[in-house]
């Protein structure tokens, strides 16, 4: 029985290799094997010549606003200002029930933190020279000599953050509340 199925398989393969599409009738330059492509296998496919429609409200736009990543409007690759040194820290509110009794499900990971603290070194900068813009996932800081575009690891409450400039240390400290979905760790 195996020989009958293998013989029929060979016959199908021979038919596939010998049945070439008809060209201009010039068989000298084209052999049946050379004109075969992987697209020649199987039923003949109809070519889709239809046009696609743009579902945008404004027909002159070339992309949807949902397709553009948040914060890309701040990207400026041609800006010659250097990026300042910065450090991202995570802060959580811990009480005695967390430390001594272990009553909550909090652990030291960033998943349990309530705030993000960003410390940015700004040497030779005055408080009045700093421009700070905070969006839900982007921090944009600009001074005459430095520029920082930072994509934040979590969504933050951009309306209720705090920023303090320590002129002695030449450091700007920005504290932002993390917005999280409630889960088994963050439940209230």
């Amino acid at each position: 029985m195996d020989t009958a199925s293998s013989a029929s398989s060979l016959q199908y393969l021979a038919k596939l290799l010998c049945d070439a599409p008809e060209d201009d009738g010039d068989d000298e330059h084209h052999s049946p094997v050379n004109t075969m492509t992987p697209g020649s296998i199987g039923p003949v496919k109809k070519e889709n010549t239809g046009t696609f429609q743009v579902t945008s409200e404004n027909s002159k736009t070339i992309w949807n606003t949902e397709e553009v990543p948040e914060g890309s409007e701040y990207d400026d690759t041609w800006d010659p200002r250097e990026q300042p040194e910065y450090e991202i820290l995570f802060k959580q509110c811990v009480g005695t029930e967390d430390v001594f009794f272990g009553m909550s499900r909090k652990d030291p990971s960033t998943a349990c933190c309530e705030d993000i603290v960003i410390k940015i070194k700004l040497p030779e900068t005055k408080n009045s020279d700093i421009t700070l813009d905070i969006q839900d996932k982007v921090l944009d800081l600009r001074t005459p000599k430095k520029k920082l575009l930072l994509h934040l690891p979590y969504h933050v409450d951009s309306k209720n953050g705090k920023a303090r400039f320590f002129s002695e240390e030449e450091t700007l400290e920005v504290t932002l509340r993390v917005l999280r979905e409630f889960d088994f760790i963050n439940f209230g």
Side-chain angles (χ1 to χ4, degrees):
M1 182 126 179
D2 283 332
T3 58
S5 67
S6 64
S8 65
S9 297
L10 286 175
Q11 287 175 348
Y12 285 126
L13 181 60
K15 183 177 183 322
L16 178 70
L17 294 175
C18 291
D19 290 343
E22 303 252 346
D23 283 341
D24 55 1
D26 186 13
D27 290 334
E28 292 179 31
H29 300 293
H30 301 290
S31 70
V33 176
N34 289 342
T35 59
M36 295 296 294
T37 64
S40 303
I41 301 172
V44 178
K45 296 178 184 170
K46 295 179 182 177
E47 191 171 318
N48 187 2
T49 59
T51 60
F52 64 93
Q53 289 186 341
V54 178
T55 59
S56 172
E57 294 107 25
N58 186 357
S59 64
K60 294 187 181 210
T61 60
I62 57 174
W63 61 76
N64 290 334
T65 55
E66 292 84 28
E67 295 174 342
V68 180
E70 184 179 345
S72 62
E73 66 268 13
Y74 299 107
D75 270 338
D76 187 7
T77 56
W78 303 106
D79 195 344
R81 293 179 282 187
E82 68 177 274
Q83 179 176 327
E85 291 181 35
Y86 67 92
E87 181 180 21
I88 298 177
L89 304 170
F90 294 91
K91 186 166 103 176
Q92 65 177 240
C93 189
V94 180
T96 54
E97 66 274 2
D98 301 317
V99 176
F100 297 112
F101 303 124
M103 294 174 66
S104 72
R105 297 177 186 221
K106 286 189 177 182
D107 60 21
S109 70
T110 61
C112 296
C113 294
E114 289 96 11
D115 295 319
I116 296 176
V117 179
I118 302 134
K119 293 183 178 183
I120 307 164
K121 294 274 189 188
L122 298 170
E124 302 171 9
T125 304
K126 294 185 292 185
N127 187 16
S128 59
D129 293 339
I130 299 171
T131 303
L132 182 64
D133 184 21
I134 299 172
Q135 300 299 320
D136 289 341
K137 279 207 62 136
V138 177
L139 179 138
D140 182 27
L141 174 117
R142 296 173 192 240
T143 69
K145 295 181 182 178
K146 307 276 186 181
K147 176 189 166 214
L148 176 64
L149 178 68
L150 183 63
H151 294 273
L152 301 170
Y154 298 108
H155 284 278
V156 296
D157 183 6
S158 58
K159 306 290 184 220
N160 296 318
K162 297 176 189 170
R164 292 179 29 186
F165 184 68
F166 299 101
S167 55
E168 301 84 35
E169 293 116 29
E170 298 179 324
T171 302
L172 177 68
E173 184 177 292
V174 181
T175 304
L176 303 167
R177 178 67 60 164
V178 176
L179 296 177
R180 296 190 190 273
E181 295 290 325
F182 292 122
D183 56 9
F184 68 95
I185 294 174
N186 305 297
F187 50 85

